[in-house]
Structures are given as structure tokens and as C-alpha cells.
Amino acid sequence: MKSCKPNSLDSSLESEPQCKGGIECVGKCGSERMENAARRRLAANARERRRMQGLNTAFDRLRKVVPQWGQDKKLSKYETLQMALSYIMALTRILAEAERYSTERDWINLHCEHFTQDSYHTLVGPKLPGESEHYAQRLFGYQPEHFQMAT
DNA sequence: TAGGCCATCTGGTCCT
DNA sequence: AGGACCAGATGGCCTA
């Protein structure tokens, strides 16, 4: 995914002698200003590239902790955010439910085993071919159309 | 081939 | 002034 825009400005910008002013150097100062602007632009481009790479690293880390059951292909950034939202909401629901039981042991016996993947399969039935995209939706209620008008 | 997703460049705005 | 952040534009890659 590379841009086709050339990056040819970064050479020959070093070690330009300082302009001391005066009529004869108006053109030269102008070209130095342009070179400085070009240099700043390139630096800004590099910073922006690093910033976006950092953002993508964060997305990758989020993908690793978000459920992706049955998904053979990587979640898009948008899907990752929506899945993370649904996941957090599901975990919040679980915590709230846990508070309704008097002892931790009661709650663990009742619910914990339902959140291993194997027991999930027994809960909702065997996975069918072509059905993988519904897994997360059924457990977490992740349905993209619910989020289209979010914000 | 159209559409989705993505990386990169770029100019604007805000902040330190 | 310079860096961070953002959104729009552009073009490449991939898949149905």
C-alpha cells in the first residue's frame, strides 16, 4: 500500500550555505524558503507516517484481545472498534449480573463455563459452514447496522 | 470491474 | 515555530 507520490525532495537539501541578505540574494532566499518549506513538509510527512503506524499497532493489539471467533479474515479497523465496543458492553453486563448473586461461587458455577469457546459451541450448536460471521453477533450483539448512526 | 479497505500526502487547526 | 492531530484527496491492492 504505497503511495506513488515521489519523495525526491529529501536529497540536496543539506549543507546549503547561509544567505546573508541583500538584493542579489532575493532569489536565493526565496529558493531557500522553498527548500525549508519542502524540508518541513517531508518531516511532517514522516511524523504523520509514524503516527499512523502507531495507530495501526494499537489496532493490531486491540484485534488480539477482541473476540474473533470463526473469522478467518482480519477485522477491519471499523469492525475492530465496533467489536471492542460490544465486547466491553458484554463484559460490563456480566459484571453487573455477578453482583446479583450472593456469593462468587454461585456466580462462577452458574456462568463461567459458558464463556469458554467449547462450551459456547455446545450452547449455540455446532458451527456451520458460512455461519462464522454470526458467532460474535449472537454472543455480543455485534450488528454493524446498529452502529451506523452512532455519534 | 466496482467497491471496500488501506497507506500516504497534504493543508488546516490547535497546542506548547 | 514546530509538533500533534485531523480530514480530504489520491491511488494501490484485493475480492466478489
Side-chain angles (χ1 to χ4, degrees), chain A residues 44-58:
Chain A
N45 290 350
R47 283 194 305 275
E48 176 68 4
R49 235 177 290 129
R50 280 195 300 272
R51 194 182 71 83
M52 295 308 295
Q53 284 162 5
L55 189 62
N56 289 334
T57 299

Side-chain angles (χ1 to χ4, degrees), chain A residues 15-101:
Chain A
S15 68
E16 191 76 18
Q18 278 294 103
C19 179
K20 297 287 192 293
I23 293 171
E24 79 280 359
C25 76
V26 167
K28 189 173 184 183
C29 284
S31 75
E32 275 201 0
R33 267 198 298 275
M34 289 179 66
E35 285 180 359
N36 275 332
R39 207 182 344 250
R40 281 200 306 275
R41 225 321 112 195
L42 285 172
N45 290 350
R47 283 194 305 275
E48 176 68 4
R49 235 177 290 129
R50 280 195 300 272
R51 194 182 71 83
M52 295 308 295
Q53 284 162 5
L55 189 62
N56 289 334
T57 299
F59 266 106
D60 286 338
R61 293 173 64 190
L62 188 57
R63 276 188 194 99
K64 285 198 175 90
V65 298
V66 143
Q68 208 174 344
W69 301 334
Q71 285 275 356
D72 46 348
K73 97 175 166 49
K74 176 174 123 172
L75 291 176
S76 72
K77 293 176 179 178
Y78 176 79
E79 289 167 338
T80 301
L81 288 179
Q82 302 306 337
M83 182 58 80
L85 175 61
S86 295
Y87 190 38
I88 290 168
M89 290 171 70
L91 293 178
T92 302
R93 269 204 314 275
I94 290 169
L95 284 177
E97 195 174 341
E99 288 178 358
R100 289 201 224 111
Y101 289 87

